Amino acid sequence: NAGVMQNPRHLVRRRGQEARLRCSPMKGHSHVYWYRQLPEEGLKFMVYLQKENIIDESGMPKERFSAEFPKEGPSILRIQQVVRGDSAAYFCASSPRTGDNTEAFFGQGTRLTVV
Amino acid sequence: DAKTTQPPSMDCAEGRAANLPCNHSTISGNEYVYWYRQIHSQGPQYIIHGLKNNETNEMASLIITEDRKSSTLILPHATLRDTAVYYCIVLNAGNNRKLIWGLGTSLAVNP
């Protein structure tokens, strides 16, 4: 059972370009979470999705950022018109359900550098 | 979700037990205590979690005080590969299970 797969592992974008980050959850997991980690800081929650639904996007900036988790295929975090402040590590986690006794498993992250 | 307080850093000698404390004095009855670690900017790795009973798995033990206001993660025989930042997180399963991360404890295991 493969773990949570994120790609690319490293992404370099010029200011103003678009960044697309992909996350394939573990097999059988229908819940996906995206987190952002700035250098020397802890992770910050961005968005929580289930298949075809955004459940909680309270941590995601209102502009330029969007996320989806289609019926088929990976979850996508999309950042339009990137700025230098978007440079960070973006982690995806998945879990099978929202019961009390389940843990989330994380991918290895995508490190976005905006130049 | 309840806030947690952890020391910013700790040292441990290789082969000895590492005891990482966490205070969560405002924890409520339906909130679990979760521990994750992050090794050198890799993806966070789940370690263990518990509600009120002590828990043990192949990685660690979790000791939760009777009043649930604090807990201790125990790595029984620390190795150099256990050097990481350890995060204690209190989670209300009803809150969409999003994890609220603090700054954690940076554990250095020394040879």
Side-chain angles (χ1 to χ4, degrees), chain A residues 33 35 37 43 45 56 58 91 98-104 106-108 111, chain B residues 32 34 36 38 41-44 46 49 87 93 96-99 101-103:
Chain A
Y33 305 79
Y35 294 84
Q37 186 174 32
L43 281 74
F45 168 80
D56 181 350
S58 59
F91 292 99
T98 55
D100 288 343
N101 208 24
T102 56
E103 61 269 24
F106 282 79
Q108 289 304 303
R111 276 148 191 84
Chain B
Y32 284 71
Y34 277 74
Y36 281 82
Q38 190 175 24
S41 299
Q42 294 179 19
Y46 165 79
H49 73 281
Y87 296 94
N96 289 328
R97 300 188 56 78
K98 61 188 180 189
L99 300 169
W101 302 74
L103 294 177

Side-chain angles (χ1 to χ4, degrees), chain B residues 2-8 20-26 35 69-72 86-90 100-105:
Chain B
K3 184 179 175 182
T4 62
T5 304
Q6 299 178 252
L20 292 89
C22 179
N23 286 324
H24 31 79
S25 58
T26 60
W35 283 83
K69 293 183 185 299
S70 65
S71 60
T72 301
Y86 287 77
Y87 296 94
C88 167
I89 301 168
V90 169
I100 309 299
W101 302 74
L103 294 177
T105 295

Side-chain angles (χ1 to χ4, degrees), chain B residues 40-67:
Chain B
H40 190 54
S41 299
Q42 294 179 19
Q45 178 187 21
Y46 165 79
I47 302 174
I48 199 167
H49 73 281
L51 183 62
K52 51 185 175 182
N53 297 321
N54 298 336
E55 302 288 344
T56 296
N57 63 21
E58 65 278 4
M59 288 184 69
S61 295
L62 174 61
I63 309 298
I64 302 174
T65 58
E66 195 167 339
D67 63 7

Side-chain angles (χ1 to χ4, degrees), chain A:
Chain A
N1 189 8
V4 178
M5 304 300 292
Q6 290 188 249
N7 67 81
R9 292 292 305 277
H10 300 273
L11 182 62
V12 178
R13 284 288 176 267
R14 296 185 186 279
R15 280 179 295 171
Q17 290 184 319
E18 178 180 286
R20 279 182 172 245
L21 289 64
R22 295 175 195 79
C23 169
S24 296
M26 289 181 69
K27 187 176 181 180
H29 287 193
S30 57
H31 301 260
V32 165
Y33 305 79
W34 285 93
Y35 294 84
R36 176 166 64 175
Q37 186 174 32
L38 296 171
E40 308 302 322
E41 294 188 13
L43 281 74
K44 296 284 194 294
F45 168 80
M46 297 183 74
V47 62
Y48 161 44
L49 309 103
Q50 294 178 25
K51 283 285 187 182
E52 300 185 276
N53 288 305
I54 296 175
I55 307 301
D56 181 350
E57 55 183 349
S58 59
M60 200 151 70
K62 295 272 189 286
E63 297 180 354
R64 301 189 299 108
F65 285 73
S66 62
E68 63 178 11
F69 188 17
K71 187 176 180 181
E72 302 291 339
S75 176
I76 305 288
L77 179 67
R78 182 181 176 207
I79 312 172
Q80 295 178 292
Q81 299 174 319
V82 295
V83 301
R84 288 234 172 95
D86 297 332
S87 295
Y90 292 82
F91 292 99
C92 166
S94 74
S95 68
R97 63 188 184 278
T98 55
D100 288 343
N101 208 24
T102 56
E103 61 269 24
F105 295 90
F106 282 79
Q108 289 304 303
T110 292
R111 276 148 191 84
L112 172 66
T113 302
V114 179
V115 298

